[in-house]
């Protein structure tokens, strides 16, 4: 074999190269888990370790491309762990080329060779880190809810802030200014009350407010928030969340430069549910999901109201310097799609809007029918992305170069939410997604946690966990006026009624 060879395990006796050369071919690909084949991978991704699901007493895996030496793994175990240094060199030398994986298995004293597994190495790198919320399926109680970060170029995972550190508290809705790990916000509630942390260029301050989904303006001067009242529906047997909906929600925004929480009628219409804010890359528009508020019908006919709650995608113009808002525009209506449109996220080049389409509401995570769609903002056409499955797809974000997305998916079991990465080309078409790699190929067999709200960042979080925890415990918080007032809600019959808190 020509070139540099890396091995994870070498036997006392030499590997019989002649026997491998004469291995009998099986005219199909080997079964492996995770299914790391026919995908596009970043040149800076950690090794895609996998398990060979074919019987045998010895395994050889050769990974090679057009340039450089091959990487060889020899093992008595079907668990294939790829040497990171050799993997990194191979990928970096072969941007844009095909990566081939050949699998040899010995059983009954004979060697068998399977059809090659092929992937393409992208030219474009992926952001080095993602930040996500990690929790258990039984998160009716806080217990183990935390914000974690993961280095995509290795397997390093670390806690940013975990609710167990302050009495089984809840941590949620983290956000960043243009994927900058030095400018972050996240919300918490629990033993020390409710608050919102802002880590901003080495400084941390806490806002005395209970807020939800957040989106940083590209200027770093403004953060838009939702404020919602969530109704959860449970399986009676195991008390697992079956579905969720907003019974009341509005948007507001926080001026970091003035430390002032504000809202306006354009984003807090008393007759609408506004949620899931997201800025355009140029900062000129705030995108969000919005649905008609039919509160009396929720009280009288909750199941009917629940199934009819469908969101439009809207946007509103904003001038950050003048602090002035324009009129609200409908970008894509539920009437057009026949479903509920949720979680709008604009690509870094401003061309595409990535969103979720589900049957009702805006919590796509609990609906197996939910899928990722992309809307071309230049011609107004939308279509289903190629990376969907039969299970729920939700919570998604773009990489800084717009070539990668990360999203939550309940594939393949429909129970546990995992993170998948997918390449999008210049036309907004997605390649087959691949599971977030782990050092242990069997990691997901035993891991009972869920991943949600993944966000790309271009480095590790600047604020230390100790500093963030100290800010949670500090009761000296920036006071803000309660800007969320009671307002009327309208039923289909036209009768108005005050909505409860």
């Amino acid at each position: 074999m020509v070139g540099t060879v890396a091995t994870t395990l070498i036997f006392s006796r030499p590997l019989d190269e002649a026997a491998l050369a004469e291995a009998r071919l099986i005219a199909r690909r080997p079964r492996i888990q995770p299914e790391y084949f026919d995908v596009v991978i970043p040149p800076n991704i950690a090794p895609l370790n996998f398990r060979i699901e074919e019987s045998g007493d010895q395994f050889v895996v050769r990974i090679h491309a057009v340039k450089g030496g091959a990487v060889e793994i020899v093992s008595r175990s079907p668990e294939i762990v790829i040497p990171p240094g050799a993997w990194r060199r191979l990928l970096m030398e072969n941007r844009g080329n095909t990566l081939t994986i050949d699998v040899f298995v010995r059983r009954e004293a004979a060697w068998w060779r399977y059809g090659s597994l092929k992937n393409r190495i992208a030219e474009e790198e992926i952001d080095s880190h993602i930040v996500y919320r990690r929790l258990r399926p039984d998160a009716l109680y806080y217990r183990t809810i935390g914000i974690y970060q993961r280095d995509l170029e290795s397997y390093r995972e670390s806690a940013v802030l975990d609710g167990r550190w302050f009495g089984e508290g809840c941590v949620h809705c983290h956000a960043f200014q243009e994927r900058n790990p030095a400018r972050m916000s996240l919300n918490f509630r629990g033993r020390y009350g409710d608050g919102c942390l802002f880590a901003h260029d080495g400084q941390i301050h806490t806002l005395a407010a209970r807020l939800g989904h957040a989106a940083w303006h590209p200027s770093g001067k403004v953060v838009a928030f939702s404020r919602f009242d969530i109704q959860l529906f449970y399986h009676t047997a195991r008390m697992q969340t079956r579905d969720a909906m907003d019974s009341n929600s509005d948007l507001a925004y926080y001026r970091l430069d003035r430390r002032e929480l504000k809202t306006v009628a354009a984003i807090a219409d008393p007759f609408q549910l506004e949620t899931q804010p997201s800025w355009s890359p140029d900062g000129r528009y705030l995108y969000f999901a919005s649905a008609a508020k039919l509160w009396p019908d929720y009280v009288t006919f909750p199941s009917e109201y629940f199934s009819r709650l469908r969101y439009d995608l809207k946007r509103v113009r904003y001038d950050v310097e003048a602090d002035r808002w324009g009129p609200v525009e409908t970008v894509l209506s539920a009437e057009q799609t026949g479903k509920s449109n949720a979680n709008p996220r604009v690509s870094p080049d401003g061309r595409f809007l990535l969103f979720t389409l589900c049957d009702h509401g805006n919590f796509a995570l609990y609906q197996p029918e939910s899928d990722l769609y992309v809307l071309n903002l230049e011609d107004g056409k939308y279509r289903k992305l190629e990376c969907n499955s039969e299970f729920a797809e939700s919570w998604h974000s773009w990489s800084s170069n717009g070539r990668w997305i990360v999203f939550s998916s309940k594939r393949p079991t429909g129970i546990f939410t995992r993170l998948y990465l997918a390449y999008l080309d210049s036309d907004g078409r997605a390649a087959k997604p691949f599971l977030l790699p782990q050092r242990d190929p069997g990691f997901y067999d035993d891991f009972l946690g869920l991943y949600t709200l993944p966000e790309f960042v271009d480095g590790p979080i600047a604020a230390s966990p100790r500093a963030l925890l100290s800010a949670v415990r500090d009761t000296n918080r920036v006071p803000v006026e309660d800007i969320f007032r009671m307002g009327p809600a309208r039923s289909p019959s036209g009768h108005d009624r005050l909505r409860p808190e």
Side-chain angles (χ1 to χ4, degrees):
M1 184 166 50
V2 180
T4 303
V5 175
T7 60
T8 55
L9 178 63
I10 297 294
F11 293 97
S12 56
R13 62 187 183 189
L15 187 65
D16 190 343
E17 294 284 351
L20 287 183
E22 297 177 359
R24 283 174 276 187
L25 179 65
I26 297 178
R28 64 170 176 84
R29 291 181 296 204
R31 291 183 290 263
I32 67 169
Q33 285 296 332
E35 293 186 345
Y36 292 139
F37 55 83
D38 294 341
V39 299
V40 181
I41 62 175
N44 59 324
I45 195 71
L48 304 184
N49 296 335
F50 59 90
R51 179 177 60 242
I52 301 172
E53 297 193 327
E54 304 289 350
S55 61
D57 53 42
Q58 190 173 344
F59 304 86
V60 174
V61 172
R62 287 175 176 168
I63 307 172
H64 55 95
V66 175
K67 302 176 183 177
V71 180
E72 182 175 285
I73 301 96
V74 181
S75 176
R76 291 190 180 93
S77 167
E79 307 279 331
I80 303 302
V81 179
I82 304 167
W87 167 268
R88 188 176 301 111
R89 287 191 297 272
L90 187 63
L91 264 59
M92 286 297 183
E93 291 177 4
N94 286 278
R95 293 173 186 249
N97 293 328
T98 298
L99 183 75
T100 301
I101 303 174
D102 292 322
V103 174
F104 298 82
V105 177
R106 190 185 71 173
R107 56 177 172 268
E108 299 177 354
W111 280 99
W112 302 83
R113 176 178 178 173
Y114 290 84
S116 297
L117 305 169
K118 293 184 181 294
N119 300 304
R120 183 168 72 83
I121 306 168
E123 295 279 0
E124 304 91 343
E125 294 189 2
I126 198 168
D127 293 316
S128 65
H129 288 69
I130 52 174
V131 180
Y132 43 82
R133 192 185 192 204
R134 211 179 72 181
L135 64 160
R136 293 178 62 86
D138 58 346
L140 172 62
Y141 307 103
Y142 297 156
R143 294 179 184 166
T144 55
I145 298 178
I147 305 299
Y148 284 71
Q149 61 181 333
R150 162 68 190 269
D151 185 344
L152 292 177
E153 297 179 354
S154 70
Y155 307 104
R156 288 188 296 272
E157 181 190 63
S158 60
V160 177
L161 182 66
D162 195 298
R164 290 173 294 183
W165 301 345
F166 54 99
E168 295 185 350
C170 180
V171 192
H172 59 101
C173 298
H174 53 285
F176 302 87
Q177 184 217 351
E178 294 190 310
R179 306 162 193 86
N180 183 351
R183 295 187 174 185
M184 174 185 70
S185 63
L186 58 84
N187 304 320
F188 65 88
R189 60 181 182 266
R191 175 181 298 177
Y192 299 96
D194 300 341
C196 180
L197 290 180
F198 292 89
H200 192 277
D201 299 333
Q203 302 295 318
I204 301 176
H205 73 275
T206 306
L207 194 65
R210 183 174 183 172
L211 300 171
H213 307 295
W216 283 64
H217 191 273
S219 68
K221 298 179 179 179
V222 173
V223 183
F225 286 95
S226 66
R227 191 276 189 189
F228 46 71
D229 294 326
I230 300 177
Q231 307 296 315
L232 298 177
F233 300 83
Y234 303 103
H235 290 288
T236 55
R238 296 182 299 276
M239 292 303 288
Q240 293 177 348
T241 303
R242 177 170 59 89
D243 215 329
M245 73 171 209
D246 285 343
S247 61
N248 184 17
S249 60
D250 289 305
L251 296 182
Y253 64 108
Y254 180 58
R255 298 279 322 201
L256 280 90
D257 49 355
R258 305 171 191 170
R259 296 204 171 181
E260 182 181 13
L261 185 66
K262 308 172 69 176
T263 194
V264 294
I267 58 174
D269 186 330
F271 301 112
Q272 294 287 316
L273 299 168
E274 297 100 346
T275 190
Q276 298 175 338
S278 178
W279 294 98
S280 60
D282 58 12
R284 296 172 58 196
Y285 289 97
L286 179 68
Y287 287 79
F288 58 96
S290 178
K293 187 182 298 180
L294 308 174
W295 180 261
D297 297 285
Y298 166 64
V299 174
T300 310
F301 307 106
S303 61
E304 293 182 18
Y305 170 83
F306 183 64
S307 62
R308 290 191 291 108
L309 184 61
R310 292 180 176 174
Y311 283 77
D312 302 324
L313 298 184
K314 297 184 178 181
R315 71 178 186 179
V316 57
R317 184 181 289 271
Y318 180 63
D319 185 332
V320 67
E321 299 303 330
D323 193 20
R324 185 170 57 244
W325 297 84
V328 175
E329 307 171 23
T330 298
V331 178
L332 187 66
S333 70
E335 184 179 4
Q336 288 174 271
T337 63
K339 292 198 173 188
S340 189
N341 314 313
N343 200 17
R345 304 297 292 267
V346 183
S347 62
D349 60 8
R351 294 177 57 208
F352 300 107
L353 179 72
L354 186 63
F355 66 101
T356 305
L357 210 58
C358 50
D359 284 349
H360 56 263
N362 67 332
F363 285 86
L365 175 67
Y366 302 118
Q367 301 180 48
E369 302 81 7
S370 66
D371 287 310
L372 298 178
Y373 278 70
V374 65
L375 169 70
N376 188 321
L377 292 173
E378 296 173 349
D379 61 20
K381 295 179 180 178
Y382 69 95
R383 59 177 179 80
K384 185 176 179 178
L385 271 187
E386 296 80 1
C387 58
N388 288 289
S389 72
E390 62 181 302
F391 298 104
E393 329 292 347
S394 61
W395 304 123
H396 46 270
S397 67
W398 294 89
S399 66
S400 56
N401 58 18
R403 283 293 173 267
W404 303 95
I405 61 170
V406 59
F407 62 95
S408 298
S409 177
K410 286 200 171 183
R411 71 186 78 183
T413 64
I415 299 174
F416 297 102
T417 309
R418 306 305 189 205
L419 296 183
Y420 282 78
L421 300 162
Y423 179 84
L424 265 67
D425 64 21
S426 58
D427 294 322
R429 298 196 175 275
K432 174 185 172 183
F434 62 95
L435 183 64
L436 177 69
Q438 302 288 348
R439 186 186 306 277
D440 177 5
F443 173 85
Y444 294 106
D445 296 341
D446 303 320
F447 183 68
L448 302 181
L450 309 179
Y451 299 92
T452 61
L453 294 169
E455 295 286 343
F456 281 109
V457 285
D458 59 15
I461 303 299
S464 70
R466 182 184 296 273
L468 294 174
L469 179 58
S470 178
V472 169
R473 292 172 172 170
D474 187 357
T475 57
N476 182 25
R477 298 170 185 172
V478 177
V480 293
E481 180 187 2
D482 182 9
I483 60 174
F484 298 99
R485 307 297 187 189
M486 291 180 64
R490 178 174 294 160
S491 70
S493 60
H495 298 294
D496 290 346
R497 172 176 172 174
L498 290 180
R499 75 177 185 222
E501 289 283 9

